Amino acid sequence: MKKFFLFIFLFGFICVSAQEKYTILMTGASFASYQNGWFEIGCKELHARALNKAVGAEAIADGANRMVKGTLYSKQELEDADAFVIMHVHNMDVFEDSELKENYRDYKVPFDRSNYAAAYDYVIKKYISDCYNLKFDKDSKYYNTQSGKPVIIVLSTHWHDARPIYNESVRLLAQKWGFPVIEFDRYIGFSKNTPHPVTKQQMSTLYADDNTETIDGVVYGWHQLRGEDKFIQQHMAAIFVDTMKKVLPIK
């Protein structure tokens, strides 16, 4: 009987530990908010706690302003996060560097939406700085370490390839910093270059809700169908998981 209860205890402990193997923090907007499901599905597969901070209708400037206020993540969430995913994917240039500041503290705040590259730069530098400065926090497990908290930042393309300004510039930004990219546009399974053979329309419209967007005169699907039961969310989750498995530390 004692052996039986010991087995049950150990089995339960292993299951709980597996469920909380990682913690992944994400900022984003409507394509990433919890109503979608891909992030949550992916985190379950990775045995990770999902800290989804994405809010519909926000932009990277809003994420930056939340960091300015100290409301994007708590001190404990910063301590716990194994990776920080950024999925603000408006079709804007996030790489152009003519107005970037060497010190993130030199940016005028609050941010507006006039310069997406500057807001991205602030978010990246602020997060890296916050992680490093944990080495000076006596309450942190990273106190007095050489590097502070190790940083894993992961960028993301749009969920398909119809936003070339953003998709191309985010890859340049990732190359600049040495960050991995969740390449939804590459692995989603269809391309803006080839319409559907039956409908003759963009294939993204088959996996989107009733909203559409027009880019260069072509109509595309805008918001992907939402819900963990939707194929497109499950497929995005698979792409997300594949990327994260390459960059998360082995525990």
Side-chain angles (χ1 to χ4, degrees):
M1 183 63 70
K2 290 183 178 179
K3 290 183 178 180
F4 174 76
F5 283 112
L6 178 62
F7 171 79
I8 295 297
F9 172 79
L10 291 174
F11 179 77
F13 177 78
I14 291 171
C15 289
V16 171
S17 299
Q19 290 173 357
E20 299 180 348
K21 191 174 183 180
Y22 300 104
T23 297
I24 303 176
L25 170 69
M26 180 172 67
T27 182
S30 56
F31 299 109
S33 62
Y34 74 91
Q35 294 93 340
N36 290 281
W38 64 265
F39 182 70
E40 286 69 24
I41 297 170
C43 284
K44 290 175 187 175
E45 178 68 20
L46 293 164
H47 304 295
R49 176 188 174 200
L51 295 178
N52 191 341
K53 306 292 183 169
V55 178
E58 285 200 346
I60 188 64
D62 300 289
N65 289 332
R66 291 168 71 187
M67 292 182 80
V68 172
K69 296 176 182 177
T71 59
L72 183 62
Y73 45 79
S74 68
K75 180 179 177 181
Q76 190 60 54
E77 288 172 338
L78 174 66
E79 180 89 11
D80 293 343
D82 293 286
F84 180 34
V85 177
I86 304 174
M87 198 204 181
H88 286 286
V89 296
H90 286 85
N91 197 26
M92 304 292 288
D93 189 335
V94 300
F95 179 72
E96 204 283 323
D97 62 359
S98 63
E99 297 182 23
L100 301 189
K101 307 292 186 183
E102 182 176 353
N103 189 329
Y104 75 91
R105 298 180 185 274
D106 292 336
Y107 283 109
K108 181 181 178 181
V109 295
F111 285 89
D112 59 27
R113 299 187 181 187
S114 62
N115 191 322
Y116 278 65
Y120 253 91
D121 190 63
Y122 178 90
V123 169
I124 290 169
K125 289 177 178 175
K126 178 72 163 62
Y127 183 77
I128 293 174
S129 299
D130 285 351
C131 289
Y132 180 79
N133 287 331
L134 287 176
K135 70 182 291 183
F136 306 113
D137 185 345
K138 292 184 179 181
D139 295 326
S140 173
K141 64 183 177 182
Y142 301 104
Y143 175 65
N144 212 27
T145 58
Q146 179 175 331
S147 63
K149 176 186 171 66
V151 174
I152 297 177
I153 295 178
V154 182
L155 305 181
S156 165
T157 70
H158 186 48
W159 68 279
H160 57 81
D161 64 351
R163 293 189 173 185
I165 295 174
Y166 170 76
N167 287 345
E168 292 171 12
S169 65
V170 79
R171 284 185 168 90
L172 292 174
L173 183 63
Q175 184 177 9
K176 171 184 174 179
W177 286 96
F179 295 159
V181 180
I182 306 168
E183 296 183 293
F184 292 123
D185 64 337
R186 182 177 180 184
Y187 295 106
I188 201 64
F190 54 84
S191 171
K192 64 183 177 62
N193 300 320
T194 308
H196 192 278
V198 177
T199 69
K200 311 304 180 184
Q201 298 176 336
Q202 284 292 319
M203 292 182 66
S204 58
T205 60
L206 298 177
Y207 301 107
D209 57 25
D210 293 335
N211 292 320
T212 60
E213 64 176 333
T214 301
I215 301 175
D216 296 330
V218 180
V219 176
Y220 299 96
W222 187 8
H223 288 103
Q224 71 272 41
L225 293 168
R226 293 177 171 180
E228 294 188 11
D229 61 329
K230 299 297 189 293
F231 164 80
I232 195 66
Q233 300 292 338
Q234 296 168 0
H235 189 32
M236 290 177 68
I239 299 168
F240 165 64
V241 168
D242 181 66
T243 302
M244 299 308 295
K245 282 183 175 180
K246 295 175 184 176
V247 300
L248 286 170
I250 296 176
K251 295 185 178 182

